[in-house]
């Protein structure tokens, strides 16, 4: 019988935790960062605004994901 998720203790790196932390921290850090950086950039159309947010958000996401992975790897 499978072990319930609530009591599961994974061996090694918990990738679910990394995904959750990456999601939350990317939103908490990325949204204000995009807002601040967009004040100094000319974004005349909605398409330009979306493209800018995606580009900045992607960089933030990669940096947060790698940081969470390194943290989890050292913690194990």
């Amino acid at each position: 019988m499978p072990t319930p998720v609530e009591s599961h203790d994974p061996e090694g790196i918990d990738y679910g935790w990394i995904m959750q932390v990456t999601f939350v921290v990317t939103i908490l850090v990325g949204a204000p960062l995009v807002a601040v950086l967009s004040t100094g950039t000319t974004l005349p159309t909605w398409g330009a605004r979306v493209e800018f947010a995606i580009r900045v958000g992607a960089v933030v996401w990669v940096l947060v994901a790698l940081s969470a992975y390194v943290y989890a790897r050292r913690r194990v």
Side-chain angles (χ1 to χ4, degrees):
M1 190 154 135
T3 305
V5 174
E6 295 84 19
S7 64
H8 180 68
D9 186 25
E11 294 180 17
I13 298 172
D14 184 359
Y15 293 102
W17 179 85
I18 292 172
M19 289 175 19
Q20 290 173 348
V21 167
T22 300
F23 178 77
V24 171
V25 174
T26 298
I27 291 173
L28 291 176
V29 172
L33 185 63
V34 168
V36 168
L37 292 176
S38 68
T39 59
T41 307
T42 303
L43 301 168
T45 65
W46 279 104
R49 294 172 186 161
V50 170
E51 185 178 340
F52 179 81
I54 290 171
R55 287 182 182 197
V56 174
V59 172
V60 171
W61 179 81
V62 167
L63 293 175
V64 169
L66 290 174
S67 299
Y69 176 78
V70 168
Y71 175 80
R73 182 147 180 145
R74 288 186 181 178
R75 203 178 97 210
V76 171

